[in-house]
Amino acid sequence: MIKGFIFDYGGTLDTAGRHWGKVIWHAYKKHGVRVSEQQFREAYVYAERQLGSRPIISPEFTFYDTLDAKLRIELEYLAAQNMPYMPAKDTDTLRKSMLEDIYHGVRQETAKSRMVLAEIKTGYPTALVSNFYGNINTVLREFKFDVLFDNVIESAVVGVRKPNPQIFVLGAESLGLKPDETVVVGDSYDKDIIPAKQAGCHTVWLKSEGWTEKEYDENQPDIIINKLSEILTKKEWLKL
């Protein structure tokens, strides 16, 4: 019997299952940034490593601030590689245009996710388990998710990162439950589904546009959905 839900954040609640690298890459193309996808990927990975290893993001940073920092680092990286993506005088305008565009999409998706979470929250305790930069609680307040989670397990705070299965064990324990009494909902096959299964949790894979095109064993997740609201139609199958 499932007694609680554990949700991933990034890619699950804010982009309808699309990997954040793909979200930003589409924004690059839409706004005419003239680099190849491989060049973008290098900039994206560089920015992620910078944000993860340096004290760039402070606990009071909103998601808007975080995304702005990420885009700034990416574009500065591309400029340093002498990639003629845009005249230097237009860099700030470019960044701000992409920032506003992406953030608008995030606000739309988080509004949809809140409706799903609110319905689940009426009957089950919920926890958030996320690899983040130490500011997840600020981000949750920003999008009005803070009242929808009983507990938050953030990698930068607990010192355990996905794909370590222990972070999902911590999520279950925070709800006073055993892993096999919880279901983990996430967009990443490698960082959510596989380690959550290893931890003993049930799993729901929100499958959309991934970072890679590799083949996955679709027998691993208990359920595969294409949009978050489908969870509400799967309750009987999960014996909830």
Side-chain angles (χ1 to χ4, degrees):
M1 175 69 79
I2 301 299
K3 298 181 180 179
F5 282 79
I6 297 173
F7 287 88
D8 166 58
Y9 180 73
T12 300
L13 301 181
D14 55 2
T15 68
R18 291 184 299 158
H19 188 282
W20 259 103
K22 287 293 189 177
V23 173
I24 298 176
W25 169 239
H26 290 315
Y28 271 52
K29 292 194 294 183
K30 178 179 179 180
H31 291 268
V33 185
R34 297 185 295 274
V35 296
S36 69
E37 186 170 5
Q38 181 56 41
Q39 291 169 331
F40 161 73
R41 282 173 174 260
E42 292 173 6
Y44 179 86
V45 170
Y46 174 80
E48 286 298 304
R49 289 174 176 170
Q50 290 294 303
L51 292 173
S53 62
R54 295 173 53 199
I56 296 171
I57 306 299
S58 62
E60 67 272 11
F61 266 41
T62 63
F63 183 75
Y64 186 93
D65 299 328
T66 304
L67 180 59
D68 191 26
K70 185 181 305 228
L71 293 173
R72 185 187 301 275
I73 294 170
E74 289 175 3
L75 293 172
E76 288 176 350
Y77 174 87
L78 292 171
Q81 303 301 312
N82 294 316
M83 297 178 187
Y85 61 89
M86 190 68 73
K89 67 179 181 180
D90 293 328
T91 300
D92 285 343
T93 300
L94 168 65
R95 188 188 81 255
K96 291 176 181 177
S97 295
M98 288 198 297
L99 174 62
E100 295 297 335
D101 191 16
I102 298 172
Y103 190 73
H104 175 71
V106 169
R107 289 186 65 86
Q108 290 182 316
E109 291 302 331
T110 52
K112 296 175 186 176
S113 297
R114 282 199 309 273
M115 295 175 65
V116 176
L117 286 170
E119 184 164 342
I120 290 173
K121 190 71 175 64
T122 61
Y124 302 94
T126 57
L128 184 82
V129 171
S130 178
N131 285 352
F132 223 71
Y133 311 107
N135 63 323
I136 189 65
N137 285 306
T138 299
V139 173
L140 293 179
R141 288 192 296 272
E142 179 181 6
F143 296 120
K144 300 183 176 66
F145 282 124
D146 52 318
V147 297
L148 296 174
F149 292 106
D150 296 289
N151 289 289
V152 175
I153 306 297
E154 182 180 9
S155 61
V157 175
V158 300
V160 181
R161 290 182 60 82
K162 304 174 190 178
N164 188 332
Q166 184 60 27
I167 198 168
F168 292 105
V169 175
L170 293 176
E173 290 177 345
S174 76
L175 297 177
L177 301 174
K178 299 176 182 178
D180 65 1
E181 295 176 318
T182 66
V183 58
V184 170
V185 182
D187 71 296
S188 174
Y189 183 91
D190 295 322
K191 293 183 179 179
D192 295 319
I193 303 308
I194 294 302
K197 294 283 284 188
Q198 292 171 342
C201 305
H202 301 277
T203 56
V204 174
W205 183 22
L206 176 55
K207 184 182 178 183
S208 185
E209 189 176 17
W211 182 240
T212 65
E213 300 299 327
K214 69 180 182 179
E215 295 293 324
Y216 293 102
D217 180 2
E218 295 194 350
N219 292 315
Q220 284 293 323
D222 294 292
I223 296 177
I224 298 175
I225 59 177
N226 299 118
K227 57 182 180 179
L228 196 64
S229 61
E230 290 179 34
I231 295 175
L232 303 177
T233 68
K234 302 291 186 178
K235 286 185 177 182
E236 184 177 347
W237 191 94
L238 279 171
K239 298 181 180 180
L240 296 182

